[in-house]
């Protein structure tokens, strides 16, 4: 197994776009089968990948609660029932599968859904070469260790003063929370050119990683997302796809 790539960063910086592109890039680099994990309740990784999620883990949790209230049938435990439903909720494609965390309905926190996802991920991950985790903004999922064994933590940020300051705080927080990973990478997204902006040039030294890249603003990516087209429909020479392929090949 190559490992898990966990993508995080503040809201709207391009996490889902990068997760989708990474799934395609890794498939084309022969790193399949891939498990894509939509760990953001508000996300739409399924749209980027062109699949439809019928059931999320949040939904499964609700159903399991109802079944438990009605009385469990045929000697099956709540945990077993949930595991069964999770296996059913997996969207399977030839080169990748997708699982979505969703939002637990009704009252209650995400803790149970998180724990279930964590357990399920641990077991599922063994069947895949690479896991791509699209996280919600911030470090919530990572601090809860929903993915054990993160091979690459990718911090995504905007190419603005505010964006760079935010990613510095995110790095400090990850360090404080002892989020564990083997390699750290940073994508400064929607830059004006292929060079890192002046503001971001100190990041490799500050974060002790050589893996910091600029991902230029890409009109084709914007247009594809506006029209709801998938990453698999992008032409093979799309500059963002080509750039991410090169970047990921150094990381995994
Ligand atoms: N390099 C890029 N060039 C052009 N547009 C981009 C680029 N990266 C992302 N975008 C666009 O920016 C918008 C936000 O991207 P995306 O949804 O991937 O961010 P996110 O971090 O996942 O957001 P959220 O925190 O809401 O989940 C999308 O419309 C996407 O198409
Ligand atoms: Mg997203």
């Amino acid at each position: 197994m190559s490992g898990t790539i966990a993508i995080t960063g503040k809201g709207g910086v391009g996490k889902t776009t990068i997760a989708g592109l990474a799934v395609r890039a890794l498939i084309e680099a022969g790193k399949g089968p891939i498990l894509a994990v939509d760990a953001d309740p508000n996300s739409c990784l399924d749209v980027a990948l062109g699949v439809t999620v019928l059931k999320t883990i949040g939904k499964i949790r609700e159903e399991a609660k109802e079944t438990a209230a009605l009385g469990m049938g045929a000697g099956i435990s709540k945990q077993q029932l949930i595991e069964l439903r999770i296996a059913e909720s997996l969207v399977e494609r030839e080169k990748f599968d997708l699982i979505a965390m969703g939002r637990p309905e009704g009252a209650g926190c995400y803790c149970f859904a998180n724990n279930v996802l964590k357990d399920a991920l641990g077991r599922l991950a063994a069947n895949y070469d690479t896991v791509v985790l699209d996280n919600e903004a911030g470090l919530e999922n990572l601090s809860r260790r929903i993915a054990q064994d993160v091979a690459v933590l990718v911090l995504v940020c905007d190419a603005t003063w505010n964006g760079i300051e935010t990613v510095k705080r995110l790095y400090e927080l990850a360090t404080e929370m002892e989020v564990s990973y083997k390699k750290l990478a940073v994508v400064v997204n929607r830059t004006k050119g292929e060079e890192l902006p002046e503001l971001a040039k100190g990041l490799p030294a500050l974060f002790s990683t050589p893996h910091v890249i600029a991902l230029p603003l890409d009109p084709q990516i914007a247009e594809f997302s506006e029209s709801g087209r998938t990453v698999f429909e992008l032409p093979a020479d799309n500059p963002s796809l080509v750039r991410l392929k090169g970047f990921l090949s150094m990381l995994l």
Side-chain angles (χ1 to χ4, degrees):
M1 191 190 168
S2 298
T4 296
I5 303 179
I7 301 166
T8 193
K10 94 177 173 146
V13 288
K15 300 178 292 296
T16 302
T17 304
I18 290 166
L21 288 169
V23 170
R24 172 161 169 193
L26 291 165
I27 290 172
E28 290 177 2
K31 296 278 183 193
I34 314 264
L35 176 65
V37 183
D38 188 345
D40 179 354
N42 301 309
S43 183
C44 41
L45 185 58
D46 54 344
V47 176
L49 295 175
V51 295
T52 309
V53 172
L54 295 176
K55 201 167 269 190
T56 65
I57 290 181
K59 182 88 183 151
I60 292 169
R61 170 221 180 200
E62 284 313 301
E63 287 179 359
K65 265 182 18 190
E66 284 160 23
T67 315
L70 292 172
M72 217 60 84
I76 188 166
S77 73
K78 186 175 166 190
Q79 189 63 31
Q80 281 170 320
L81 186 70
I82 288 172
E83 282 174 20
L84 199 70
R85 296 267 165 81
I86 286 176
E88 286 167 7
S89 76
L90 201 66
V91 180
E92 292 174 284
R93 285 295 175 273
E94 196 187 329
K95 301 276 174 54
F96 74 92
D97 293 348
L98 172 70
I99 194 161
M101 186 156 145
R103 178 194 304 282
E105 287 160 23
C109 71
Y110 291 135
C111 314
F112 184 79
N114 256 316
N115 286 336
V116 171
L117 181 65
K118 182 174 165 177
D119 275 2
L121 265 188
R123 264 174 288 103
L124 274 176
N127 303 325
Y128 298 88
D129 185 78
T130 318
V131 178
V132 176
L133 193 65
D134 178 19
N135 285 288
E136 60 188 335
L139 289 168
E140 191 86 342
N141 287 332
L142 297 169
S143 66
R144 287 176 199 219
R145 310 264 188 278
I146 65 160
Q148 287 96 12
D149 256 348
V150 173
V152 186
L153 176 65
V154 182
L155 304 180
V156 185
C157 67
D158 270 331
T160 59
W161 186 87
N162 208 1
I164 304 293
E165 287 307 306
T166 307
V167 83
K168 287 182 191 167
R169 280 201 300 278
L170 195 62
Y171 173 75
E172 279 165 21
L173 210 59
T175 310
E176 261 170 45
M177 288 173 153
E178 298 177 350
V179 171
S180 62
Y181 50 82
K182 293 196 185 73
K183 289 182 186 168
L184 180 71
V186 183
V187 177
V188 183
N189 195 14
R190 293 185 289 234
T191 54
K192 287 205 186 93
E194 294 190 357
E195 289 285 302
L196 275 180
E198 214 42 52
L199 294 160
K201 289 205 168 131
L203 294 181
L206 199 61
F207 295 177
S208 310
T209 176
H211 306 294
V212 181
I213 58 159
L215 192 63
L217 184 87
D218 181 339
Q220 198 168 37
I221 294 279
E223 183 198 314
F224 264 58
S225 121
E226 265 169 40
S227 56
R229 275 186 285 169
T230 77
V231 291
F232 297 105
E233 293 169 90
L234 278 170
D237 63 353
N238 169 266
S240 305
L241 180 64
V242 172
R243 210 165 167 78
L244 273 179
K245 264 189 193 169
F247 190 52
L248 291 171
S249 71
M250 291 186 297
L251 289 161
L252 281 178

